[in-house]
Structures are given as structure tokens and as C-alpha cells.
Amino acid sequence: MWMTNAVALCLLASAAVMAMASAEEAKLSSHAATLADRSASLAFSLYHNVAKEKDLENILISPVVVASNLGLVALGGKASTASQVKTVLSAGEVRDEELHAGLAELLTEVSDPAARNVTWKISGRLYGPSSVSFADDFVKSSRKHYNYEHSKINFRDKRSALKSINEWAAKSTDGKLPEVTKEVDKTDGAMIVNAMFYKPHWDEKFHHKMVDNRGFLVSRSFTVSVPMMHRTGLYDFHEDTENRLYVLSMPLAHKKSSMIFIMPYHVESLDRLEKLLTRKQLDIWLSKQEERAVAVSLPKVSMEVSHNLQKHLGELGLTEAVDKTKADLSNISGKKDLYLSNVFHASAMEWDTEGNPFDTSIFGSEKLRTPKLFYADHPFIFLVKDNKTSSILFIGRLVRPKGEKMRDEL
């Protein structure tokens, strides 16, 4: 009897292991993989478009979330207003039903907190004028595919309307994102609002005691005081001597994604690096990386950034949805009475010491001898790249972290 039970237990254990392996090896559907690829290309075109605005400092964009915004527009649009979404995503071959299913699958895959050991709160809400009536089919479909909430808002009392939007964002992110915007210029259309909080968990943590205050050089004449965290470990690293920059990849917990930093040798405007930054160039830099000892110092800071992407998406090809005279978003309300007046993309990102325990076996070994120095005390570009789907979860730049001014010299 005990032999029978033992065999049964072994079979159950074997089945469980096989099921786990199967789940781990599960691949994206072909249309989700296509949209992951296209959203990665969108990351660079959108970043460059946003970076053109000289008054911007920090940038923080989630291309996979922007892609889901586009999916929402396609869901609410008809005719060419809807088909332009595929133009922006370069996904003309993807059928409508595959577009929505694929975008939903992609976002679910990359934001799974259990599989990826990541803190990523994503909330989306579609606001409409108080006169709008949301169509039941649209509400059901947008909840199903994109998990969007829907709300009417009355901008006759603008102060109250703004307060409502900002309070929703703060609540959605547990207070990490206190504000989406101080002003809304166009109040007569549909408004997409994203509120997100992202906190990477390093594959190997920084020691909480290895943190001290240092100067971050916003420019050669302006420095702020920030806490910096330090650790030495084995990382994929490349020094591009021709372009005078470093490229560092730091795996995040479970190694499902990586934080990639691109930093010039010295403090300078990021214009030069941004002209170099393309998807092809990033792939070249990553292909040249080698694992080696690196002494890393990073700002231990949080950044909150909000972009209104309405104009930028229009410049990338979404021309009809953002035009009051041309938009056909009649799937939203059953009437041709809406256009996309705002796309507020608001994110908070926090860099902290937390992560998995570090590998103590390499301490004092030859592997950590003569480490390269990656001292991030001046503006840099960063990306969060997903290793399974090759999508870009975030792309941005840190130009001015929060901190007290240390000096201001002429």
C-alpha cells in the first residue's frame, strides 16, 4: 500500500514540475509578440518627440501602456480614426480582434507582480464631458481588454475637476503620484489619464547602509544634494569610447527584465546622446556588453513625471482622433460627438536599495578586482527592457532629481 502511495506522490510531483515548466515556457501569442515588437519601436519615436520640447526636464514614459491607450482609441473609433492606431504602431497586418487581445496579453504578461517580483501599479481612466453617455458595449470591452474605468467630469468648475483627477491618481498609486496636472486647456473632449507607480527590485540589492549624500550635477553650474546608493557586482557593461559613454545593464528580480543606463562620461546636455539613441543603436550597445566587475553608484530617489501625449501622438500619425473636426470616436457614446483632447501619462518611479540577497561568494575574489566605475552623478538616459517579450516597459531620462541646491555658480 505504501508503495502505491509513494508512486502516486511521485507522479503528482512530476506532473506539478512539468506543469510549472510548461507555464514558465509559455510563449506569447504571435499577435502579442508582434505588438511587443512594435511597441518597442514606438518607444524611441515617442521619446524623441517628447524630448524635442526644450522646457521638459525628466522624462518617464511606458510604451506598453501608451500602446494600450492606442488600443482604447481603436476600440472607441471607427473607420480611419481607428485604423490610424495601427499606423502609429506599424501594425497594419494585425486584425482588430488580435490588436485588442494582443495588447491585453502583452500588458498582463509584463506587469504580473508574482512572476516578475515587481511593484507596478497601473490605473487608467477615460474621462468624458458631463454630457456624454458611454455605450455599454464600449464600457464592457474597454474593461475587458484594458481594465479602464470611465467617468464623466464637469469642467465648468475647473478647480473641482482637477482636484478630482489628482485625488484619483493619488489613491490609485497609494499616494506615490500626488498630481497629474495643474491645468487642462482643452476640456471639451475625451481625456485618457494613466496613473502609475513603478519600483524596480534589483536582482542583487544594495546594502541599506551603503547610502550617503552626494552632489548630482544637473549642469556644470547647478548641483543638488541627493542620497546615493553604492554597490560593486558583476554586470553587463560596455564603454563606447568613440561616443564617450557607458552602457550598464542591471537585472531586476527574477531576471525577467533589466534596467539599462546610458550615461555620458561627463556632465553635458543629453541632446548628443539622444541623437544617437535608436532601437538599432541600443541593440548594438547591448551586443557589445561583457560581464565584468562594476562599482555602481545610483541616486536613491523618486521621480514623478506627467506628460500630455495628445500632441505627440498626433505628430506620430494619430491625426484624426486628436482633431475635433475629423475624429470619429462614435463607438464610445454612439454619437460622433467626441475627440481625444488630452492623454495624460503620469508615472512615479522609485529607485531604492531593495532586491534579492547578493551573492557573497564573489566577495574578495578575482572577479571583483579592478572594477569599472559607473558613477551616476549627472544626467543619463534609462530604459526598463523586458527580457521575454523584448518590449520596453519604461524609457526616460533623469536630468534633475529632487534635492536641495548645493551651489549655483556663473
Side-chain angles (χ1 to χ4, degrees), residues 15 24 31 50 63-65 126 143 155 160 163-164 174 206 238 241 259-260 279 281 288 335 353 399:
E24 289 176 0
H31 44 277
V50 171
V64 291
V65 173
L126 178 69
R143 282 177 178 164
F155 272 104
S160 177
K163 182 181 178 183
S164 175
D174 295 334
F206 289 76
H238 172 62
T241 54
M259 182 78 79
I260 301 165
R279 188 176 182 184
Q281 182 61 64
K288 291 183 176 180
K335 300 176 183 178
T353 57
V399 173

Side-chain angles (χ1 to χ4, degrees), residues 71-72 75-76 100 104 135-148 150 331:
L72 188 72
L75 201 61
H100 303 303
D136 289 343
D137 286 347
F138 173 77
V139 169
K140 290 177 183 176
S141 296
S142 57
R143 282 177 178 164
K144 173 186 174 183
H145 293 296
Y146 303 113
N147 198 30
Y148 264 77
H150 309 79
N331 281 339

